[in-house]
Amino acid sequence: MARSGTKMLDIAGAAMGVVVLSLALGPAGPAWAAPARDPFLDKTDDAFQQDCLATHNKLRELHGTQPLKIDTDAVALAEKRVQQVSRYGGVQEGHAGNSGSGYGENLAWSASSKPFDYACAKAVQSWYDEISKHDFNNNNFNYNTGQFTQVVWADTTGIGCARASGKGSQWYESYVVCSYTPAGNYQGQFLKNVPRPVG
């Protein structure tokens, strides 16, 4: 199973770009990463969780895939993971701490010159926007579209998301982590699980 992460720099509300990362990481994060810092404050609340769920289900409906439900174990994992990834600038920690969990994962990071909390709808939409690069005739994983495919993966039934925000060394930063169960992005299962938009 392969996964990817989004790195987005959003300075004073103006998106500067999106970079999809695919990294080989160890359990303590990448060797080249800056030393770990204290994790940022947990900014997850019920409104955030419902925003994540509603946005995913709105986008999944476009593909005729079943709506997701909040999974409390996935929420607990996402809360743990957002604390881990916020210890490094950007998404340098990548998916190292998720390895072996059995859950799919999407990551988003944004930074600004002013304090803010990343809206889940914005993070999920950035993952979904990878659809423009997706080949619906390909039955294999693509690092450029792995977040999109996890969002709409038909066999996924549960989700849990979390957010952490704080002041980094240069910017105010906010992270979103969503954990998915069952995980998606399995080789040879894309044609079955990533349908074209309906209608």
Side-chain angles (χ1 to χ4, degrees):
M1 178 175 31
R3 299 181 182 98
S4 61
T6 294
K7 182 177 182 180
M8 181 181 293
L9 181 58
D10 188 19
I11 302 173
M16 300 302 288
V18 175
V19 178
V20 175
L21 299 180
S22 56
L23 307 168
L25 303 168
W32 49 266
R37 60 189 178 200
D38 288 338
F40 288 159
L41 292 175
D42 182 357
K43 298 292 188 115
T44 307
D45 57 20
D46 189 57
F48 171 81
Q49 204 68 246
Q50 292 304 316
D51 183 33
C52 295
L53 181 65
T55 305
H56 274 87
N57 286 339
K58 177 187 78 168
L59 296 170
R60 289 172 66 84
E61 185 178 13
L62 298 175
H63 296 262
T65 55
Q66 66 184 321
L68 300 175
K69 294 180 180 172
I70 298 291
D71 180 285
T72 56
D73 291 336
V75 171
L77 177 61
E79 288 174 341
K80 175 184 169 190
R81 291 287 299 131
V82 82
Q83 292 299 297
Q84 290 173 326
V85 299
S86 72
R87 295 187 57 166
Y88 298 89
V91 287
Q92 293 180 52
E93 197 273 346
H95 299 287
N98 192 54
S99 181
S101 73
Y103 287 80
E105 179 176 83
N106 279 345
L107 307 173
W109 169 82
S110 186
S112 175
S113 59
K114 298 178 182 176
F116 73 106
D117 294 322
Y118 204 163
C120 197
K122 188 174 181 180
V124 176
Q125 187 65 53
S126 74
W127 300 330
Y128 182 83
D129 287 347
E130 293 176 352
I131 188 175
S132 66
K133 301 176 221 157
H134 185 69
D135 177 1
F136 285 94
N137 298 314
N138 183 2
N139 203 23
N140 295 305
F141 179 77
N142 180 326
Y143 285 103
N144 294 317
T145 62
Q147 295 168 127
F148 156 69
T149 54
Q150 178 60 83
V151 168
V152 301
W153 195 262
D155 284 346
T156 295
T157 58
I159 188 173
C161 300
R163 174 176 58 193
S165 303
K167 177 70 169 83
S169 61
Q170 294 182 308
W171 311 101
Y172 290 95
E173 302 175 40
S174 190
Y175 295 80
V176 173
V177 173
C178 288
S179 299
Y180 302 85
T181 185
N185 289 343
Y186 283 96
Q187 294 288 22
Q189 296 182 21
F190 283 80
L191 296 180
K192 171 187 172 244
N193 282 286
V194 186
R196 297 174 189 274
V198 294

